[in-house]
């Protein structure tokens, strides 16, 4: 993980922020596939984070 990223990324502890960076890096891969089978669950999670329409 780059040292320029705050250890309190999104106000979480260092270990969680490292895990989040790993997930974000994985999601940024060109060959990442959107899990269509879980679309409803993913949309529900996004809605709970951002209840107003985008």
């Amino acid at each position: 993980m780059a040292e320029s990223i705050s250890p309190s990324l999104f106000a979480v502890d260092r270990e969680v922020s490292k895990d989040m960076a790993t997930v974000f890096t994985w999601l940024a891969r060109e060959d990442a596939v959107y899990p269509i089978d879980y679309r409803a669950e993913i949309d529900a999670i996004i809605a709970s984070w951002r209840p107003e329409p985008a």
Side-chain angles (χ1 to χ4, degrees), residues 2-52:
E3 289 301 318
S4 62
I5 295 176
S6 170
S8 63
L9 179 67
F10 299 110
V12 297
D13 65 45
R14 182 175 284 280
E15 293 305 312
V16 172
S17 69
K18 287 179 183 179
D19 292 341
M20 291 169 66
T22 300
V23 170
F24 297 154
T25 301
W26 181 83
L27 289 172
R29 299 179 318 169
E30 289 183 30
D31 63 342
V33 176
Y34 190 84
I36 299 297
D37 294 341
Y38 301 102
R39 176 71 191 246
E41 291 87 345
I42 292 169
D43 288 344
I45 291 169
I46 293 169
S48 72
W49 291 342
R50 184 182 49 200
E52 66 281 347

